[in-house]
Amino acid sequence: MPEGHSVHRIARQFAQHFVGRRVAVSSPQGRFAAGAAQLDGHTVVAAQAVGKQMFLEFDHGLWLRIHLGIYGAWDFAGDVTADPTVLAAGGRMGQTNQKGTVVGAHEDSLASIGAPRRTRLRMAERDSLEQPIESFPPEPIGQVRVRLLTDDTVADLRGPTACEVLEPQQVDAAIAKLGPDPLLDDSADAEERFVATVARKPTSIALLLMDQSVVAGIGNVYRAELLFRARLNPHTPGRDVPTDVVRELWRDWARLLRIGVETGQMMTMDGLEGEAYRAALANRADRHWVYHRAGEPCRVCGTHIVLEVAAARKLYWCPRCQA
Ligand SMILES: [Zn+2]
């Protein structure tokens, strides 16, 4: 499932190529025909990610709320932007200087390497370059719930958990249900809100980190990695986790989320350089402490990483480092 960093990157793609543009909105699949009709022909005025959800505001006051869920994906084609990390992960550009990628580095547009109108970029759990399009706009592929089309960019959404038109007060209500997202608000108040919530919960910290009403944007990968980085036993009840550790979890999430948005990868190991850093960007097996490493030796102590299922999601941890 896409975690917070992916959704923020998608919102940036919309901010760059759709905000300020009039958009033809349709539902090639038909399931969102009525909603599409409410938005068709209007101008997008804002694109905002909150945790794992994205909100697009239109000039007549209505919003489009999208939650990709497990299977959802956006396909962008035409004038789209992919930073070098995407190109490298897709194997299209080889040795890109990935460390040069910074937030807002939109000058790394594909336009600079030619044929932007033929580009197709998929943004979901991970970003990937797809087969170039032959003509613009391309025919919809598969079950496209909603298509947003400007003169030179198209975005097709498939397989979302949620795709709905909302009034402003409904948007407020949807966002109010979510815990703080450090990329939107890294204030002391946001940190305090997280700390206070965790402090009164008997629920395990592993479940709290995945609870979007406690903190927004964390999924299975970041959860496991944050707990390892804190050397925290996943089963510790929230209220028993020392306050300074809870604060550090929040700050570490803010740190990892920023890195995720910058690199497009859930880069959760520190201190990697050169070839090790490139390998980690290209390969999940080289960038995590514990996630997806069941039975492999812990990178710190050598103990076999444990896999257990908690609330139907796989939880990876080191029973020695996180005793
Ligand atoms: Zn260990």
Side-chain angles (χ1 to χ4, degrees):
M1 177 182 297
E3 303 197 22
H5 73 299
S6 297
V7 184
H8 279 285
R9 285 168 66 87
I10 291 166
R12 287 178 180 210
Q13 195 73 245
F14 276 101
Q16 192 180 6
H17 295 295
F18 288 85
V19 168
R21 313 292 291 275
R22 258 173 62 96
V23 184
V25 184
S26 61
S27 178
Q29 168 203 53
R31 277 183 61 184
F32 187 62
Q38 287 181 275
L39 305 175
D40 187 32
H42 286 276
T43 298
V44 180
V45 295
Q48 176 79 78
V50 186
K52 298 178 183 177
Q53 303 187 37
M54 187 183 71
F55 300 85
L56 293 181
E57 183 182 12
F58 290 77
D59 62 355
H60 59 327
L62 292 180
W63 294 69
L64 178 62
R65 181 180 81 94
I66 303 292
H67 191 318
L68 290 176
I70 295 175
Y71 302 109
W74 283 104
D75 275 328
F76 293 90
D79 183 11
V80 298
T81 304
D83 61 47
T85 58
V86 177
L87 303 175
R92 307 298 172 96
M93 275 186 69
Q95 299 294 318
T96 307
N97 177 16
Q98 293 124 337
K99 276 201 148 176
T101 308
V102 293
V103 171
H106 294 310
E107 63 275 17
D108 293 322
S109 168
L110 286 179
S112 64
I113 57 169
R117 290 175 68 86
R118 299 182 60 235
T119 302
R120 188 198 297 273
L121 173 68
R122 175 161 302 168
M123 299 187 81
E125 185 164 342
R126 54 185 296 275
D127 304 340
S128 56
L129 282 177
E130 305 292 312
Q131 286 298 313
I133 55 175
E134 298 298 326
S135 61
F136 184 88
E139 286 298 308
I141 298 173
Q143 297 292 312
V144 175
R145 185 77 56 88
V146 64
R147 160 168 281 203
L148 303 174
L149 176 67
T150 72
D151 290 341
D152 46 27
T153 309
V154 62
D156 285 343
L157 173 68
R158 283 173 294 104
T161 291
C163 172
E164 59 179 355
V165 176
L166 296 182
E167 303 274 352
Q169 61 272 27
Q170 294 174 302
V171 172
D172 293 343
I175 292 174
K177 284 185 199 157
L178 298 172
D181 176 332
L183 210 64
L184 291 181
D185 182 2
D186 62 355
S187 67
D189 281 354
E191 178 176 312
E192 224 40 66
R193 198 176 145 205
F194 172 69
V195 170
T197 306
V198 171
R200 61 171 189 269
K201 299 275 191 182
T203 316
S204 74
I205 188 65
L207 292 182
L208 291 176
L209 290 181
M210 296 275 277
D211 181 341
Q212 300 301 302
S213 71
V214 173
V215 55
I218 298 176
N220 220 20
V221 180
Y222 280 128
R223 181 261 297 267
E225 296 290 294
L226 284 164
L227 288 170
F228 180 84
R229 289 164 62 92
R231 301 296 191 269
L232 185 57
N233 186 310
H235 299 294
T236 312
R239 63 190 178 198
D240 293 345
V241 181
T243 303
D244 59 331
V245 175
V246 180
R247 285 191 195 288
E248 184 47 34
L249 278 173
W250 167 259
R251 292 172 192 181
D252 204 29
W253 168 226
R255 205 149 42 222
L256 292 183
L257 178 57
R258 276 194 297 272
I259 293 168
V261 174
E262 287 169 21
T263 63
Q265 308 293 349
M266 290 184 270
M267 179 66 71
T268 54
M269 294 178 67
D270 298 315
L272 300 176
E273 293 186 3
E275 193 47 49
Y277 184 81
R278 273 189 290 277
L281 271 185
N283 207 332
R284 181 171 76 178
D286 294 318
R287 63 173 169 257
H288 298 318
W289 290 106
V290 292
Y291 181 77
H292 216 263
R293 298 193 67 242
E296 291 181 53
C298 171
R299 298 186 197 277
V300 172
C301 75
T303 301
H304 289 183
I305 299 300
V306 166
L307 164 62
E308 59 184 82
V309 175
R313 299 299 301 274
K314 290 175 176 175
L315 170 62
Y316 300 87
W317 60 295
C318 173
R320 183 161 174 194
C321 293
Q322 298 171 258

